[in-house]
Amino acid sequence: QVQLVESGGGLVQTGDSLRLSCASSGGTFSRYAVGWFRQAPGTARDFVAAISGNGVNTDYADSVKGRFTISRDNAKNTVYLQMNSLKSEDSAVYYCAVGSQLSSHSLGYVYWGQGTLVTVSS
């Protein structure tokens, strides 16, 4: 079983930066692709970024491309999401999830964390 815990969320201002962490326990972390998704109240859960198990391949939603960077440190069983130039529309609960392959669709992921709240004031 894989357990995921997100951290690093908080209240920031427009233009600020924030780094989210997704810590994993259980399973073999390097075997899993990891995706970041976000969900604002009353909205669907949207894809943000994903990274392959070996870290070679990444994918980003158009809305965050150029501002967010996903990375991983398999030795630490952790995936990071560096968020720069934050906008109010980035406000959401951010979730990390693991799956067998890199995917931009939530159905491609099996295990999910509980989420961490990011609030960007405008």
Side-chain angles (χ1 to χ4, degrees):
Q1 295 182 324
V2 176
Q3 295 176 300
L4 302 172
V5 179
E6 302 94 337
S7 63
L11 175 62
V12 296
Q13 295 182 329
T14 298
D16 284 352
S17 296
L18 204 58
R19 188 177 77 159
L20 306 183
S21 297
C22 174
S24 174
S25 62
T28 302
F29 185 63
S30 62
R31 294 179 180 175
Y32 295 105
V34 178
W36 283 98
F37 294 79
R38 65 188 183 187
Q39 186 170 27
T43 69
R45 184 173 296 185
D46 292 328
F47 170 74
V48 177
I51 188 167
S52 61
N54 59 13
V56 172
N57 302 116
T58 59
D59 191 22
Y60 298 92
D62 288 341
S63 59
V64 307
K65 195 171 298 181
R67 299 188 298 120
F68 291 10
T69 302
I70 188 171
S71 62
R72 68 190 298 160
D73 186 341
N74 286 340
K76 296 181 179 179
N77 289 350
T78 302
V79 165
Y80 305 97
L81 184 68
Q82 178 67 45
M83 306 186 295
N84 297 328
S85 301
L86 284 164
K87 307 173 181 179
S88 60
E89 50 262 47
D90 295 318
S91 297
V93 176
Y94 283 70
Y95 301 88
C96 67
V98 299
S100 60
Q101 296 180 356
L102 185 151
S103 175
S104 61
H105 200 288
S106 61
L107 292 178
Y109 298 89
V110 178
Y111 298 102
W112 293 77
Q114 296 299 306
T116 185
L117 178 63
V118 173
T119 303
V120 184
S121 63
S122 60

